[in-house]
Amino acid sequence: MFPILVYGGPSTGKTSVTLQVFRHLNRPFIYSSCITCYSPRILFESILNQLLFHRKDSGHSYSSLKRCERPSDFVNYLREALENVITNLKGNSGKVSSKMSGRPDGTMVYLVFDNLECVRDWDKSSTILPFLFNLNDILKMPEVGLIFISNTSPDTYYLNIGYAEPIPLYFPDYTEDDLRHIFMANQTNSRLYASFLDVVLRPFCRVTRQVDELAAAFSSLFKKYSEPLSDKEVAPNEEMKRRLFSHIRPHIASALNETFQVRSQPLLKAETNQETKKTNSSRMPGVREDFDKIDFHMSTSAKYLLISAFLASRNPATLDASLFDSTGVSDSHKRKRKASEKSMDQKEMAEQELLMKGPGTFPLERLLAIFQCITSLAEDSLDEEESHELTVEGGSRGLMSDVLLQLSSLCNANFIIKGGSCPLEGSTRYRTAVSEDLALKVARSLKFPLSKYLYRR
Amino acid sequence: MGREKEKEKLSEKALNLLRSRLSDPNFIFRPLPDSPDSNYSKLKFIISTSVTEACNNSILLLGPRGSGKVAVLELVLSDLLQQYPEAISVIRLNGLLHSDDNCALKEIARQLCMEHQLLFSKVASFDDNSQFMIAMLRECGLAHKTIIFVLDEFDFFAQGKQRLLYSLLDAMQSVNSQAVVIGVSCRLDVDQLLEKRVRSRFSHRKLLFLSPSKEDTERFIEHILSLPMDSSLPHNYAAEFNGRLKKLLSDERFKELIDTYLSFNFTIGHLVRFLFQAVSYMDLSAGFLSLGNFKTALSSNQRQPKLECIRDCSVLELYMMVCMKRLEVKEQASYNFYSVMTEYKSIHDSFQTSDYYAANVCLRAFEHLLQCQLISFIDNKGHNQSVEFRPVKLLISSAELHQGLKSYQQCPAILLKLMDR
């Protein structure tokens, strides 16, 4: 058999169709995904483990049967294991019909490699990719079939080194009609859902046509759609459809601007509370109240650290002295001048530059200096308000090691990126990776006036 | 009903027979060595003379992928192994796997041990292995046994320092050995890659494997697709199948089709792959090959992946690509996600389109475009920055984008207008 490359967009059913075909025809196959097997060694060992029926368990402390790093070792072990398996299969096919005994049909073994596009990002991809594509020729065993599944088209795999091209098999994305069929399947009240789809399918298809994203968005929207109905089983007539449409219309616009995520459970409960509040007050279309809160938990000192990092990246270093003087009052009001024509052009150019360059880098000392200024400010303001639930008090004074730990955890969470070290100074520089929206949200949760400190050109 | 089922079973059997034939390289390349000056006979002559006359030799087999170099070599070797069963041992190395010297020597030692039933130790060092190889060469030379080294993907061995090649060829010259080194490669200039000292020890014998002529191709197709008369299939079915096949092959349209295919892919390997696809599309109820099968196989090979990608995009993603095209037209040297967003906003302001979405949705569309490889990052070093700030470039030309927009169902007219400006 010649190797086959199955390709198409995400969530078009490639993996599920392949696996279903194998299960239906009852043929033996080995499945390995290049996302879970993220290096050549893990990929090779996983295939060998499956061929030799070895399961990783706590008995052997989760180790594989054979240690295999290089492609040359892999080919030798693979050949041995495949020959064993094939002789077993040939022996079985001679006996009683395999449908009775539950063993697989046929004498061929298939290797399925899923998510092949991840291999392109590996370190050794220039040797591993041609190796995988040429595996058929290297093994020279006609009883082995290779199937590759990929999200990207075959022309993204062209390399300098040639290889025998696999037979391409294309899975196109679903059209709107197909999507309608997919969503209508398994619905309890099909006429209600059909009227729902009439309303939402077309605008959402303009943004994305992927089934997983649409399913996440539709599930929450359908709950809102069927809210005013007391009886969920009824088939709607024209007048009811119109009512439901006007009910859902403001929500569609806001839902279109959301990224299609599946929300975690506590937030859903919070949403229902907010919903009841909303229905009592007058409804304003397009208002997104739930987006003012950040949906993960951070300690207060981590929040202050994040804000200081954002300010350090956003403002040029020369402004620090004036912005953060001892009284903590920002002086930016003093410097406002009337904007002339030339400075407007310069402003535009500078904005363009800012967009292209992205956030600037800053050394550790500057970050800590800003952090200390901000937290001392916060303490003063909190003292003035005489609030009881102080959490900042213990945090900022003297516990620098705590702050450094927070910094490394922010780096791990990709809020702050650690850049290369500057060769002159020899210290590492950091850079913020959060957007202004997130920084504003965090600042709002601490009641910190972030906009006063932001440098506007 | 019963007859139809019987017919289907017959056609399934015929299909299996054809498919197993097409996947077997031995069958494909056997009809070619009929003539006396073919590559098969030349190769056989060279190797058998070095076996009988106890001399060293080296040769290169060159030709594009799929022209049958390794297949012909295997045929020659199997014939010679039958002729001189005790006098030949074969070591096979592959450049993709064994380009590292340590690896290669370990593999040579392992295969030698397997041939001669010796125990192979996995912890032997590089020096041990090379000494073992030289010792074996000497012993085999004294015993009049020829060792044949087959180096597949020879151009990988010619990278780096070429230590393995040098030690192998040097051993052949200095030690009293009988060895033949056969290099197989797709690069026709691979001997230019060799170092001076290696090249001087290499005899410049080359065999070129070229694609067959047109008449040969036609004869080959007929030979491969005809069902044999003496197989287990009933005689009249096989005769009808072959008769229809002959009529199909002499059809003008079929010849045109094959010509189109071969103008892009001219080796036997490609042709066999095409025939495999066509045969797999055979209609089991009819039981015979038809022109439609070949047409389907041809169209599935002539895909245009970027246009398909564009057809799979959503309207928002099309907007982003048109914005990038406009930025390129404005001669902005490099652009990232935020500059595309400003352009998007300016389009919305000037044309009042209804398709205006927030930044996070657009970022999602942007990442989808990156995944489809319709756009890509300009350099790979920018892992210090997040996705929105790294500069990107479009990977399709404006003509392709234009064609894709035209073939898109329900493409908003504004996009076409913007492209035309």
Side-chain angles (χ1 to χ4, degrees):
Chain A
M1 183 187 125
F2 287 85
I4 298 183
L5 175 70
V6 177
Y7 71 99
S11 75
T12 41
K14 306 181 289 292
T15 315
S16 36
V17 166
T18 315
L19 294 178
Q20 285 284 347
V21 164
F22 274 114
R23 293 212 177 99
H24 174 75
L25 292 175
N26 200 13
R27 299 292 168 121
F29 68 97
I30 307 274
Y31 176 83
S32 49
S33 161
C34 298
I35 294 186
T36 48
C37 308
Y38 52 87
S39 80
R41 178 176 156 200
I42 302 181
L43 180 67
F44 297 155
E45 287 183 0
S46 133
I47 295 179
L48 288 173
N49 284 344
Q50 289 185 63
L51 274 174
L52 299 166
F53 303 110
H54 170 82
R55 246 219 180 110
K56 285 186 180 183
D57 55 19
S58 50
H60 330 111
S61 64
Y62 296 101
S63 66
S64 323
L65 199 59
K66 288 197 202 299
R67 192 197 150 91
C68 173
E69 240 181 73
R70 295 209 206 99
S72 50
D73 298 330
F74 176 61
V75 169
N76 291 334
Y77 292 140
L78 186 67
R79 210 174 257 143
E80 268 178 51
L82 280 172
E83 275 167 9
N84 273 342
V85 171
I86 289 172
T87 35
N88 277 345
L89 284 174
K90 282 197 179 132
N92 284 344
S93 65
K95 293 176 194 168
V96 181
S97 149
S98 45
K99 283 197 187 73
M100 313 285 257
S101 55
R103 286 198 214 102
D105 280 339
T107 53
M108 276 189 75
V109 178
Y110 298 91
L111 299 176
V112 179
F113 292 88
D114 203 355
N115 300 118
L116 199 65
E117 72 276 359
C118 299
V119 180
R120 279 210 316 261
D121 298 326
W122 289 357
D123 281 336
K124 301 213 189 92
S125 62
S126 53
T127 45
I128 292 289
L129 266 181
F131 167 65
L132 284 177
F133 282 127
N134 278 331
L135 194 57
N136 201 30
D137 289 332
I138 294 177
L139 280 180
K140 292 207 200 14
M141 298 171 88
E143 295 98 351
V144 177
L146 292 174
I147 298 181
F148 302 101
I149 306 182
S150 155
N151 269 347
T152 53
S153 47
D155 59 328
T156 54
Y157 293 106
Y158 289 162
L159 301 161
N160 290 338
I161 314 137
Y163 51 86
E165 280 177 27
I167 298 182
L169 197 57
Y170 177 55
F171 274 57
D173 261 5
Y174 298 116
T175 60
E176 260 188 57
D177 296 326
D178 293 333
L179 286 172
R180 180 182 285 271
H181 279 301
I182 292 174
F183 282 113
M184 286 298 293
N186 298 332
Q187 288 295 335
T188 44
N189 188 350
S190 50
R191 297 193 53 187
L192 182 64
Y193 207 78
S195 59
F196 169 65
L197 282 182
D198 285 333
V199 173
V200 295
L201 193 61
R202 179 144 302 184
F204 273 87
C205 275
R206 289 177 86 87
V207 178
T208 174
R209 282 198 280 162
Q210 289 180 275
V211 180
D212 46 358
E213 294 180 351
L214 287 176
F218 284 173
S219 58
S220 52
L221 266 184
F222 186 59
K223 287 201 188 88
K224 283 192 199 140
Y225 183 73
S226 44
E227 253 174 13
L229 286 178
S230 45
D231 172 20
K232 304 274 190 241
E233 300 300 317
V234 70
N237 53 8
E238 281 306 317
E239 188 254 315
M240 211 188 296
K241 279 191 201 166
R242 244 174 285 143
R243 256 198 314 133
L244 291 171
F245 175 60
S246 51
H247 169 81
I248 191 107
R249 193 168 16 166
H251 295 270
I252 295 184
S254 62
L256 275 175
N257 277 328
E258 222 186 298
T259 46
F260 309 107
Q261 309 163 344
V262 181
R263 298 272 197 88
S264 49
Q265 276 302 97
L267 205 58
L268 282 173
K269 288 209 192 95
E271 240 181 55
T272 47
N273 289 341
Q274 280 183 356
E275 282 303 326
T276 48
K277 263 191 260 171
K278 239 196 208 172
T279 47
N280 289 340
S281 60
S282 63
R283 213 178 295 132
M284 274 172 27
V287 160
R288 300 175 281 159
E289 297 168 9
D290 41 341
F291 289 124
D292 285 353
K293 302 209 177 12
I294 47 176
D295 46 359
F296 48 86
H297 180 74
M298 268 169 93
S299 65
T300 316
S301 58
K303 286 185 190 169
Y304 275 115
L305 200 61
L306 187 63
I307 296 178
S308 354
F310 181 71
L311 284 173
S313 264
R314 183 65 190 273
N315 300 343
T318 47
L319 236 57
D320 282 351
S322 47
L323 277 181
F324 299 109
D325 61 5
S326 49
T327 58
V329 173
S330 85
D331 284 339
S332 52
H333 300 286
K334 292 188 193 157
R335 261 178 285 109
K336 260 202 183 135
R337 265 177 303 183
K338 220 172 149 181
S340 61
E341 272 298 316
K342 195 166 153 212
S343 64
M344 290 292 277
D345 285 341
Q346 276 184 354
K347 253 199 200 177
E348 266 188 45
M349 291 277 296
E351 262 187 47
Q352 280 265 333
E353 261 193 60
L354 178 64
L355 277 183
M356 278 308 297
K357 261 193 330 183
T361 56
F362 51 86
L364 185 59
E365 296 84 18
R366 189 172 159 217
L367 172 68
L368 292 177
I370 298 182
F371 179 69
Q372 285 207 307
C373 291
I374 295 183
T375 46
S376 59
L377 269 185
E379 277 184 20
D380 295 340
S381 62
L382 278 173
D383 284 338
E384 285 171 15
E385 291 176 7
E386 291 177 339
S387 150
H388 290 294
E389 52 258 357
L390 268 188
T391 46
V392 170
E393 205 183 87
S396 65
R397 290 240 186 101
L399 291 181
M400 267 309 140
S401 58
D402 228 10
V403 171
L404 290 177
L405 273 176
Q406 297 276 6
L407 179 64
S408 64
S409 50
L410 284 178
C411 281
N412 280 337
N414 264 345
F415 288 129
I416 300 183
I417 302 180
K418 195 165 167 178
S421 47
C422 173
L424 290 173
E425 294 172 41
S427 59
T428 46
R429 296 184 75 87
Y430 297 87
R431 189 200 293 266
T432 317
V434 292
S435 61
E436 197 171 324
D437 287 334
L438 186 62
L440 283 173
K441 277 191 220 171
V442 172
R444 215 171 290 143
S445 72
L446 289 173
K447 298 195 178 43
F448 179 78
L450 185 64
S451 38
K452 272 204 293 183
Y453 292 90
L454 280 179
Y455 176 63
R456 308 236 181 249
R457 289 172 205 234
Chain B
M1 232 0 233
R3 271 198 76 188
E4 278 182 25
K5 272 217 151 147
E6 253 187 54
K7 202 160 182 206
E8 269 197 31
K9 268 200 182 155
L10 267 183
S11 35
E12 239 186 87
K13 251 175 106 172
L15 183 64
N16 282 341
L17 184 84
L18 287 178
R19 278 164 63 119
S20 51
R21 257 202 219 167
L22 285 167
S23 317
D24 178 17
N26 281 342
F27 185 87
I28 295 170
F29 289 103
R30 198 164 269 286
L32 294 179
D34 287 349
S35 52
D37 63 346
S38 72
N39 284 328
Y40 171 85
S41 32
K42 280 190 209 163
L43 191 58
K44 192 163 174 185
F45 177 70
I46 294 176
I47 302 184
S48 47
T49 41
S50 45
V51 169
T52 46
E53 292 177 19
C55 59
N56 291 321
N57 219 331
S58 49
I59 185 171
L60 276 180
L61 303 180
L62 305 174
R65 264 181 210 276
S67 26
K69 310 181 285 292
V70 172
V72 168
L73 179 63
E74 292 293 331
L75 280 177
V76 168
L77 287 178
S78 56
D79 285 347
L80 286 177
L81 277 171
Q82 279 181 346
Q83 254 188 317
Y84 311 101
E86 285 302 319
I88 301 184
S89 65
V90 184
I91 309 282
R92 290 189 176 86
L93 294 178
N94 192 311
L96 280 175
L97 308 174
H98 307 125
S99 56
D100 177 34
D101 297 324
N102 287 341
C103 235
L105 272 180
K106 195 166 144 183
E107 184 65 22
I108 293 179
R110 192 188 72 91
Q111 291 194 17
L112 280 173
C113 290
M114 254 179 31
E115 282 267 340
H116 299 115
Q117 277 103 33
L118 300 168
L119 275 178
F120 173 64
S121 134
K122 285 192 193 160
V123 295
S125 69
F126 177 76
D127 288 329
D128 291 340
N129 282 334
S130 63
Q131 279 177 2
F132 173 66
M133 179 181 86
I134 296 182
M136 283 299 292
L137 277 173
R138 191 179 306 127
E139 290 295 324
C140 289
L142 290 174
H144 291 292
K145 214 175 145 134
T146 315
I147 304 187
I148 303 185
F149 290 91
V150 177
L151 300 175
D152 213 349
E153 314 279 349
F154 191 69
D155 39 318
F156 282 95
F157 287 111
Q159 286 173 357
K161 279 195 166 197
Q162 305 178 9
R163 263 202 307 179
L164 172 74
L165 285 179
Y166 177 69
S167 51
L168 204 54
L169 292 172
D170 198 37
M172 273 167 49
Q173 297 225 319
S174 48
V175 171
N176 194 4
S177 65
Q178 271 178 251
V180 181
V181 172
I182 306 179
V184 180
S185 173
C186 305
R187 284 183 68 158
L188 299 177
D189 63 342
V190 70
D191 56 337
Q192 308 292 329
L193 295 173
L194 295 176
E195 274 179 17
K196 191 162 94 82
R197 58 179 186 168
V198 176
R199 203 185 315 170
S200 57
R201 287 174 174 73
F202 196 83
S203 82
H204 288 213
R205 236 166 280 198
K206 288 192 258 191
L207 278 183
L208 278 179
F209 283 74
L210 301 169
S211 49
S213 64
K214 215 163 153 197
E215 301 85 34
D216 282 343
T217 321
E218 287 177 6
R219 270 196 298 138
F220 170 74
I221 295 180
E222 185 167 351
H223 170 86
I224 252 207
L225 290 180
S226 311
L227 291 177
M229 287 298 177
D230 53 353
S231 72
S232 50
L233 296 166
H235 189 86
N236 47 356
Y237 172 70
E240 202 188 337
F241 187 93
N242 291 344
R244 285 202 186 201
L245 182 69
K246 248 202 169 91
K247 220 174 71 172
L248 180 66
L249 291 180
S250 50
D251 190 353
E252 268 307 315
R253 292 174 294 170
F254 180 81
K255 289 195 186 162
E256 243 183 76
L257 215 123
I258 293 282
D259 278 345
T260 336
Y261 185 75
L262 285 178
S263 52
F264 292 113
N265 308 294
F266 50 91
T267 57
I268 298 254
H270 282 121
L271 181 62
V272 166
R273 197 176 127 235
F274 173 67
L275 291 176
F276 187 86
Q277 272 184 289
V279 164
S280 307
Y281 283 123
M282 180 167 104
D283 187 10
L284 284 178
S285 48
F288 304 111
L289 286 173
S290 71
L291 190 62
N293 301 138
F294 290 90
K295 274 202 186 136
T296 336
L298 187 66
S299 62
S300 80
N301 272 325
Q302 279 181 338
R303 297 202 156 274
Q304 295 192 302
K306 292 284 189 240
L307 284 183
E308 284 171 349
C309 263
I310 296 187
R311 225 173 292 141
D312 282 345
C313 283
S314 65
V315 173
L316 176 60
E317 287 154 10
L318 291 179
Y319 263 98
M320 305 208 68
M321 284 202 284
V322 170
C323 289
M324 280 192 239
K325 199 32 94 184
R326 280 168 66 92
L327 284 176
E328 263 187 22
V329 164
K330 283 187 196 168
E331 294 189 7
Q332 213 172 353
S334 61
Y335 41 87
N336 64 5
F337 174 66
Y338 281 120
S339 28
V340 174
M341 282 304 288
T342 38
E343 177 73 23
Y344 183 51
K345 188 161 185 303
S346 69
I347 291 184
H348 172 73
D349 290 336
S350 46
F351 290 104
Q352 299 299 321
T353 55
S354 58
D355 283 311
Y356 189 62
Y357 302 104
N360 48 1
V361 182
C362 292
L363 186 59
R364 199 65 178 227
F366 190 74
E367 285 179 352
H368 186 232
L369 284 176
L370 275 173
Q371 203 187 34
C372 293
Q373 291 272 303
L374 283 166
I375 60 181
S376 81
F377 293 123
I378 286 187
D379 57 2
N380 277 332
K381 294 180 287 189
H383 286 293
N384 286 341
Q385 293 208 335
S386 44
V387 172
E388 304 127 346
F389 290 107
R390 286 168 73 177
V392 296
K393 63 177 188 263
L394 261 182
L395 285 179
I396 53 174
S397 62
S398 66
E400 275 184 312
L401 183 59
H402 206 91
Q403 199 183 352
L405 284 177
K406 276 203 199 136
S407 64
Y408 193 83
Q409 293 175 333
Q410 306 151 3
C411 173
I414 179 99
L415 284 179
L416 286 171
K417 211 165 65 161
L418 285 172
M419 279 295 293
D420 285 333
R421 292 244 179 123

